[in-house]
Amino acid sequence: MTPDELRAFCLDFNDAVEEFPFGPDVSVFKVVGKMFALSWLDAEPLRVNLKCDPDEAVRLREEHPAVAPGYHMNKRHWNTVSVGELPDLMVRELVEDSYDLVVAGLPKAVRLRLDRP
């Protein structure tokens, strides 16, 4: 997955936006003001921080060397994923899971508007 593909995939979710609160080198993808992905799109290797269920986060780290505790994030809830070291489908699933976790914490009316009950 290329940086452009990762950006396009993140922005394809309902109400997803890209912001740069940490400077021009760090893309932050949000839904309704809540972050679901953070990436250094120009970095080698391409990495992305993604929200994750705490138990699933530990399992992923144990099974995949490309998944580490979230860099500069709450390590219980965030993983840093080295994108090129995992299959694209898995990266897409992890991004979607992150988006869904953030949406699940939103008020019901907002979740329904986003078509993600």
Side-chain angles (χ1 to χ4, degrees):
M1 178 178 284
T2 68
D4 288 338
E5 290 170 334
L6 177 61
R7 173 184 279 126
F9 186 70
C10 288
L11 292 173
D12 199 36
F13 292 103
N14 292 338
D15 273 12
V17 296
E18 180 180 25
E19 297 179 356
F20 300 90
F22 306 117
D25 297 333
V26 182
S27 293
V28 175
F29 299 95
K30 295 181 177 182
V31 57
V32 192
K34 304 287 185 182
M35 180 171 52
F36 69 91
L38 179 146
S39 182
W40 304 264
L41 293 174
D42 294 333
E44 287 289 330
L46 176 59
R47 296 179 315 258
V48 61
N49 283 359
L50 299 168
K51 191 164 184 137
C52 192
D53 171 80
D55 294 330
E56 180 72 2
V58 171
R59 185 190 67 76
L60 287 167
R61 293 172 198 161
E62 290 172 352
E63 293 179 6
H64 302 281
V67 180
Y71 179 70
H72 284 294
M73 305 294 278
N74 179 328
K75 300 193 181 347
R76 178 168 156 73
H77 296 279
W78 291 84
N79 281 336
T80 297
V81 176
S82 292
V83 174
E85 298 177 35
L86 295 174
D88 284 358
L89 179 60
M90 183 176 181
V91 173
R92 289 176 184 273
E93 288 172 350
L94 293 172
V95 172
E96 185 172 7
D97 289 348
S98 181
Y99 177 87
D100 287 343
L101 277 171
V102 171
V103 169
L106 298 173
K108 184 176 181 180
V110 176
R111 291 193 315 265
L112 293 174
R113 182 176 57 78
L114 295 173
D115 294 329
R116 298 201 88 75

